Amino acid sequence: MTDADGSDTRSDLADRRGAERVVYQPAEDSRLLAEAAVEHACGRTLEVGTGSGWVAERIATETDCAVIASDLNPEACRQARDRGVPAVRADLVEPFRPSSFDTVAFNPPYLPTDPDNEWDDPMERALSGGESGRAVVDPFLDAVGRVLRPGGVVLLLVSSLTGFEAVVDRAERNGFAASTVRQESYPFETLSVLRLDGK
């Protein structure tokens, strides 16, 4: 995938978002999700895929929410704990009990990745959304309703690289009402934060 001047969009974004590191560090998408979460999160809040824990820490310090974080990468969990955020190693929402959270926030891996160019390390899992960019987004949308309390809210970071309408459609098929609460455009993409209201 290349942009208009022929540069490799995925590589450029990966470089800007810290692919050389073991844990995803805060970037423009993190800031956008944090701002939305500070405004919209309430009650018991889970940040899925917390990376460094920066977003979860902002929610914990700037709201009255009780925050817990999760990540598949054990080093990410350690970094989140170092920020004072309780963190557990988890694949999406799998280990959590039904109706556990009022809010779930997620900045998923979303960069479309050619299967022949997968690099098979922790940062790939933090950045790569598979060929469609939705390899993690779709299973998350299929599963997150189980852990939400009635009237709960999901705050999901979505990139235009992943097909915004396809994400909205999947959310609606899972019973959510979708609205955009934050949006910013960059040379490579448009980032949006969807607020998904459950039943």
Side-chain angles (χ1 to χ4, degrees):
M1 177 174 187
T2 58
D3 64 10
D5 68 6
S7 63
D8 182 61
T9 301
R10 189 188 151 281
S11 293
D12 289 344
L13 281 171
D15 288 345
R16 289 169 61 212
R17 291 177 183 163
E20 77 284 357
R21 299 183 177 94
V22 175
V23 174
Y24 187 81
Q25 298 300 310
E28 61 271 17
D29 50 358
S30 312
R31 177 188 51 76
L32 203 63
L33 180 61
E35 290 172 354
V38 166
E39 183 176 349
H40 294 274
C42 63
R44 190 160 190 243
T45 298
L46 169 68
E47 189 202 3
V48 174
T50 195
S52 70
W54 184 82
V55 172
E57 181 185 33
R58 282 200 56 187
I59 301 168
T61 58
E62 297 179 36
T63 73
D64 293 330
C65 297
V67 180
I68 186 170
S70 69
D71 203 292
L72 197 57
N73 181 345
E75 177 60 20
C77 293
R78 186 192 67 74
Q79 288 191 21
R81 289 186 204 112
D82 287 348
R83 291 179 179 272
V85 178
V88 297
R89 189 175 184 200
D91 186 0
L92 299 177
V93 299
E94 190 276 327
F96 300 107
R97 293 178 179 164
S99 303
S100 294
F101 300 102
D102 300 291
T103 308
V104 178
F106 190 26
N107 179 6
Y110 59 74
L111 294 180
T113 307
D114 183 333
D116 294 334
N117 293 325
E118 296 281 357
W119 62 100
D120 194 28
D121 64 20
M123 283 310 299
E124 176 194 345
R125 289 184 287 280
L127 294 169
S128 173
E131 286 188 89
S132 69
R134 297 187 299 277
V136 179
V137 173
D138 287 348
F140 170 78
L141 289 171
D142 294 344
V144 68
R146 179 183 65 81
V147 300
L148 275 184
R149 292 175 176 159
V153 172
V154 176
L155 298 167
L156 178 65
L157 193 290
V158 180
S159 168
S160 56
L161 298 173
T162 67
F164 180 85
E165 293 303 327
V167 174
V168 170
D169 180 65
R170 186 80 170 224
E172 290 175 344
R173 282 189 279 129
N174 278 286
F176 292 103
S179 58
T180 302
V181 295
R182 285 282 191 287
Q183 190 170 77
E184 288 185 2
S185 293
Y186 300 91
F188 295 114
E189 63 187 332
T190 297
L191 296 176
S192 306
V193 178
L194 285 178
R195 174 179 168 136
L196 306 176
D197 287 280
K199 298 174 184 176

